[in-house]
Amino acid sequence: MKRYRARRPAGALLALAAAGGLLLTGCSGGDDAAHGTKDTAAGSGAGGYAPAPDGPRGGSPSGETDENGDSRDVAPEPDHLSTFALDVDTASYGYARRSLAEGRLPDPSTVRPEEFVNSFRQDYERPDGDGFTLSVDGARTGEEDWSLVRVGLATRTAVERGERPPAALTFVIDVSGSMDEPGRLDLAQDSLATMTDRLRDDDSVALVTFSDEAETVLPMTRLGGHRGRVHDAIGSLEPAESTNLGAGVETGYDTAVEGHREGATNRVVLVSDALANTGDTDADTILERVADERREHGITLFGVGVGSDYGDALMERLADRGDGHTTYVADAEEAREVFGEQLPRHVELTARDAKAQVAFDPETVAEYRLVGYDNRRVADDDFRDDRVDGGEVGPGHTVTALYAVRTRPGADGHLATATVRWLDPGSRAPHEESGDVETGDLGDSVWEADRGLRVTATAAYFADALRSSPPSRGSLPGAPGLAELAERAGSPAGRTEDEEVRRLAEAIRTANRLT
């Protein structure tokens, strides 16, 4: 097993791992002198295939000389660059599982493969400070010359509650008539009550409700000495009339701005089925309001979807424009995990406007396909333009991007260079980390790779199949049918007692029965 370590940019304390079979316990140390190092700040990559030239806020363009007079590598042709904003959303997978459990196939338009992939634990090596580690590995599929290549990113482990900055959270709760269904408003109330007990005394909470109108039920309130007041406000929630989502979002952001705390993590948490049916239902108008407050006050949005009927597209767009992410909760167990564990631990940010770019070597790569991230693509030349929006990522997160890659017959050598760029959440200073993968690092078979890569492949194949019509076998190279895929999913679960993978296998079996 090999490890490639990049030279660390100033101010960043990061680790890098790239191999054909890393994860579970990390990898053994490699020889940097043998494999070479590269200065990611200079933007150079192995074999001369680097990220795109610096944008308007970057350094000198590719092919010119830098301030030291050193020549810079020329970036590859755009066809060999893939650039996207990072995304830690998982709502699509949660909603698909809910649909399948109710005996219906999910609408293909709600299936986003990257959210299936990012729903599963990955044991990537973690950095010591803010920013990312970057890992690249892959394995061959059963289809000639085609492989799956995985780019994995990880932030530091979430700190203990007392070590993070305080939080100022504005909860915007949908109390419309549709939320009266069991597993909606009642679930939100139980979850918020649990979370209130888990937050710190120096954290603050505000509560906004909306139906046909919006109301601030509780202004921004410090929890120390006032938890009873917060619990009373949560317990008073009752379902009412229509869903004026626009009014809820606007009032929520007004309340968040009024209660804005300097030095704290300021966030709006929207809990809704996102079925807007009255007032301002135009998505773009609502989204512009979210974007304005994000730019001016740095307030991020966390969307929590509930209900068997769910406005998935609107919730996802709101979170993307609000520099946040979405999840979906189907039952009390998932809600307790999100509100009682994940939100209190992950409330802060470790990276802003994070983007990734993969430069494939045209000498070895004939074609490639990024799986998912359809609405997170970024123009290649905007990779280093820090005015262009990326993704926000918090502690304890991992982000995985999977590529289907067709290598040229008999190709050997450098395959790709992956680079992640992000802004420090406090200083807004840019940082980068890069890593390489060689054709020799590709394992012989995806299904004989380690747990992480097998689960990633299974989730991606499953999402791809659900997007097909009818769902059966997706278009990704080496895709098995759903029956075989369910067996493949059950194998790693059986060996590792992995509950989340067992649930994946059951979802695949259900989809197979429904088709």
Side-chain angles (χ1 to χ4, degrees):
M1 189 173 296
K2 304 174 183 177
R3 171 181 291 172
Y4 298 86
R5 180 169 292 121
R7 191 172 301 154
R8 292 167 177 161
L13 296 174
L14 301 168
L16 170 71
L22 58 146
L23 297 178
L24 295 177
T25 58
C27 343
S28 59
D31 183 353
D32 289 336
H35 302 300
T37 60
K38 54 189 174 295
D39 186 346
T40 56
S44 60
Y49 294 99
D54 292 342
R57 291 194 177 184
S60 58
S62 179
E64 297 183 358
T65 57
D66 61 23
E67 60 186 3
N68 298 317
D70 296 323
S71 62
R72 301 192 55 181
D73 292 322
V74 177
E77 291 298 319
D79 285 349
H80 287 85
L81 285 175
S82 171
T83 310
F84 59 94
L86 300 195
D87 191 350
V88 295
D89 291 355
T90 60
S92 177
Y93 175 65
Y95 187 43
R97 283 186 55 233
R98 168 71 177 263
S99 299
L100 291 166
E102 293 178 344
R104 53 192 172 89
L105 291 166
D107 185 328
S109 68
T110 68
V111 176
R112 293 181 291 279
E114 72 277 12
E115 297 185 24
F116 278 53
V117 166
N118 283 319
S119 294
F120 296 91
R121 172 181 55 84
Q122 299 286 353
D123 293 323
Y124 301 134
E125 186 177 349
R126 301 275 182 177
D128 295 327
D130 286 350
F132 299 91
T133 56
L134 189 154
S135 306
V136 192
D137 66 352
R140 314 243 178 215
T141 70
E143 196 164 326
E144 186 176 5
D145 296 327
W146 281 96
S147 299
L148 296 183
V149 174
R150 178 179 55 164
V151 177
L153 302 159
T155 58
R156 62 171 166 78
T157 303
V159 299
E160 296 298 323
R161 289 193 307 164
E163 298 176 10
R164 63 165 172 80
L169 305 176
T170 301
F171 289 92
V172 180
I173 310 300
D174 186 346
V175 294
S176 62
S178 62
M179 291 290 287
D180 195 24
E181 174 190 311
R184 297 194 185 196
L185 183 56
D186 58 336
L187 193 63
Q189 288 176 292
D190 290 344
S191 304
L192 291 174
T194 299
M195 187 213 59
T196 298
D197 293 332
R198 299 285 178 89
L199 291 172
R200 300 186 325 212
D201 285 347
D202 62 342
D203 292 329
S204 300
V205 170
L207 188 62
V208 171
T209 62
F210 68 93
S211 55
D212 54 336
E213 296 179 347
E215 176 187 5
T216 300
V217 176
L218 181 74
M220 194 64 72
T221 303
R222 294 284 181 107
L223 284 173
H226 300 98
R227 291 182 194 272
R229 183 182 175 193
V230 176
H231 279 294
D232 288 344
I234 294 170
S236 70
L237 303 182
E238 294 182 353
E241 303 295 334
S242 304
T243 308
N244 192 335
L245 183 61
V249 170
E250 183 168 357
T251 304
Y253 272 87
D254 285 342
T255 303
V257 169
E258 185 176 341
H260 186 273
R261 291 178 57 184
E262 292 295 332
T265 300
N266 293 269
R267 179 167 293 183
V268 168
V269 182
L270 174 62
V271 183
S272 175
D273 57 18
L275 299 175
N277 57 22
T278 192
D280 193 349
T281 60
D282 178 67
D284 291 336
T285 304
I286 300 172
L287 291 167
E288 188 56 37
R289 170 66 175 172
V290 172
D292 287 345
E293 300 299 351
R294 170 187 64 80
R295 288 190 293 264
E296 185 174 352
H297 300 284
I299 298 170
T300 59
L301 177 68
F302 178 40
V304 182
V306 295
S308 55
D309 292 324
Y310 169 53
D312 168 78
L314 178 56
M315 184 70 90
E316 191 219 5
R317 291 178 65 197
L318 282 168
D320 285 349
R321 288 288 291 273
D323 277 352
H325 63 282
T326 64
T327 190
Y328 178 89
V329 294
D331 53 39
E333 181 181 353
E334 292 179 0
R336 281 193 295 270
E337 172 64 21
V338 168
F339 287 95
E341 301 296 334
Q342 293 180 12
L343 187 55
R345 286 201 315 264
H346 301 162
V347 68
E348 63 176 316
L349 291 178
T350 58
R352 283 188 177 273
D353 287 323
K355 310 183 194 87
Q357 186 169 86
V358 181
F360 291 96
D361 192 328
E363 296 296 320
T364 56
V365 175
E367 59 180 306
Y368 68 86
R369 169 185 168 188
L370 174 60
V371 182
Y373 291 92
D374 297 332
N375 61 358
R376 303 293 284 164
R377 306 296 171 95
V378 174
D380 295 332
D381 288 345
D382 288 339
F383 178 59
R384 290 198 176 95
D385 185 348
D386 296 327
R387 295 168 297 184
V388 175
D389 191 35
E392 274 57 44
V393 185
H397 282 127
T398 60
V399 183
T400 301
L402 191 68
Y403 287 88
V405 178
R406 183 170 68 85
T407 52
R408 300 188 183 280
D412 185 34
H414 178 252
L415 188 76
T417 298
T419 303
V420 58
R421 181 181 178 89
W422 72 95
L423 304 183
D424 181 271
S427 68
R428 302 275 179 157
H431 300 280
E432 289 186 14
E433 188 67 84
S434 291
D436 298 304
V437 65
E438 307 284 321
T439 57
D441 296 325
L442 299 174
D444 291 336
S445 170
V446 165
W447 305 117
E448 296 175 2
D450 61 36
R451 177 261 186 202
L453 184 53
R454 290 198 311 275
V455 172
T456 296
T458 301
Y461 280 136
F462 182 35
D464 197 45
L466 291 176
R467 295 176 97 182
S468 304
S469 184
S472 57
R473 185 189 303 270
S475 61
L476 285 175
L482 286 174
E484 180 185 346
L485 190 61
E487 293 181 9
R488 297 283 192 185
S491 177
R495 286 199 294 267
T496 63
E497 298 300 317
D498 194 330
E499 182 60 31
E500 63 181 8
V501 180
R502 273 198 292 273
R503 288 196 292 263
L504 172 62
E506 178 57 33
I508 298 172
R509 284 192 290 269
T510 301
N512 186 47
R513 288 196 298 270
L514 292 174
T515 57

